Amino acid sequence: MALCDSCLHYNKKFDELDQMFDDVVIETDNDKRQKHFCPMYDDHIPNDIYYDNADCEFYMNKNRP
């Protein structure tokens, strides 16, 4: 999540709001990690980006001048 926290596109309130209304249950997936949301993704932020700090094609540093 280190990348998401410093990304211009990620908004914690947007993420929390979408988590509240996420009613899709995938029964074949053994991964029980919480889904996180960003307006740049149609579904949710891929777990390898959010949890494993993989590179994100949409990443823009919000602290950059």
Side-chain angles (χ1 to χ4, degrees):
M1 175 162 139
L3 277 180
C4 293
D5 276 342
S6 65
C7 182
L8 180 66
H9 303 294
Y10 179 75
N11 182 299
K12 188 163 181 68
K13 292 193 185 279
F14 177 87
D15 183 17
E16 291 170 353
L17 181 66
D18 274 11
Q19 285 177 1
M20 285 184 355
F21 294 103
D22 182 28
D23 60 354
V24 176
V25 177
I26 301 174
E27 296 181 8
T28 59
D29 190 2
N30 292 330
D31 193 356
K32 301 296 182 199
R33 293 182 284 189
Q34 179 76 32
K35 290 182 186 175
H36 291 273
F37 299 89
C38 174
M40 300 308 290
Y41 289 95
D42 291 333
D43 187 15
H44 64 90
I45 301 172
N47 285 341
D48 59 337
I49 292 174
Y50 190 85
Y51 289 106
D52 301 328
N53 291 326
D55 290 332
C56 176
E57 64 182 303
F58 304 113
Y59 177 76
M60 293 178 69
N61 191 333
K62 66 180 172 186
N63 299 321
R64 187 177 154 187

